[in-house]
Amino acid sequence: MNQRPPAKAILGARLEPSHMNLVHYLSEQQAEAALQFMDDPSRVEIPPMALDVMTSLLIDKWPVQEYEREVGAPARSARPLLAQALDTYIAIDRQALSAGRARRMPTLRDEIRAEKRPRDEVIEDLAARIEWLTCTYEGADDDVVRVMVELGVQRQVAHLFLILKRAEGVTLPRERILNRLYANKPDEAGPRIVEVLVHRLRKKLPSDMRIESIWGVGYRMVSGIGDGGKFSCQS
């Protein structure tokens, strides 16, 4: 009798070669959950955030780097995001089985397909959620603290630096920056807070970096423009 291959091996065979780093990052239990989800995405009711991550990477098989760029997430953040989503799936699946429930919540992707919300608005919403979630993974908070120390700025200014630096060369709309800065506390966001934080950050940037204002759109960070010392914080 043939023995079933490990779940990670099966998952790797079903995904694209560019997804292998995702597969290696997962545990055997998480890989088993991923296979279960791919076979029947609607069998368990899970939060929209987890469902969107799993649908994008496992069902639609977005290239990892393209997915991270599309939602404005930091590089290499897809792995912990998928692992966390699968852990959520596993926990809720157990509860659903014990309670005899098996249904799912509508997702952001459902809203796009049903034309209930514009695609750009949904993408910005997802980007804000991911930015908030990744603060708990892969030392994201350590990065904020490191920027605070090296630039001598407050936490929100440091957070703004990382948002712009991770999207270096790309113009980020003001609304997207605002959503990512205050994803978990929107009531604290004043009408001119982005402009205020950009002004403070500009005063502290190394001489080889600058923030460009794109009139009517947002802001863009560029670097390597002078002879000043390079910023040493990894981002």
Side-chain angles (χ1 to χ4, degrees), residues 4 41 140 186:
R4 181 178 182 266

Side-chain angles (χ1 to χ4, degrees), residues 9-72:
I10 299 174
L11 181 62
R14 292 181 60 175
L15 293 176
E16 303 297 328
S18 62
H19 290 73
M20 289 311 298
N21 282 338
L22 287 179
V23 176
H24 292 321
Y25 189 86
L26 301 177
S27 67
E28 190 69 11
Q29 183 184 37
Q30 289 168 337
E32 190 68 55
L35 292 171
Q36 196 174 69
F37 174 78
M38 293 169 74
D39 289 337
D40 185 5
S42 63
R43 69 182 297 271
V44 176
E45 177 181 339
I46 60 177
M49 176 64 202
L51 190 57
D52 280 308
V53 173
M54 293 167 62
T55 301
S56 296
L57 295 174
L58 299 176
I59 302 296
D60 295 341
K61 300 178 183 178
W62 278 19
V64 176
Q65 292 182 346
E66 178 183 329
Y67 170 76
E68 291 169 342
R69 286 196 301 268
E70 182 72 15
V71 301

Side-chain angles (χ1 to χ4, degrees), residues 107-125:
T107 70
L108 296 176
R109 190 175 301 276
D110 292 333
E111 294 184 22
I112 294 176
R113 289 172 176 166
E115 298 184 351
K116 293 182 179 179
R117 296 175 61 191
R119 182 176 182 275
D120 289 346
E121 179 183 322
V122 174
I123 290 296
E124 289 186 11
D125 187 7

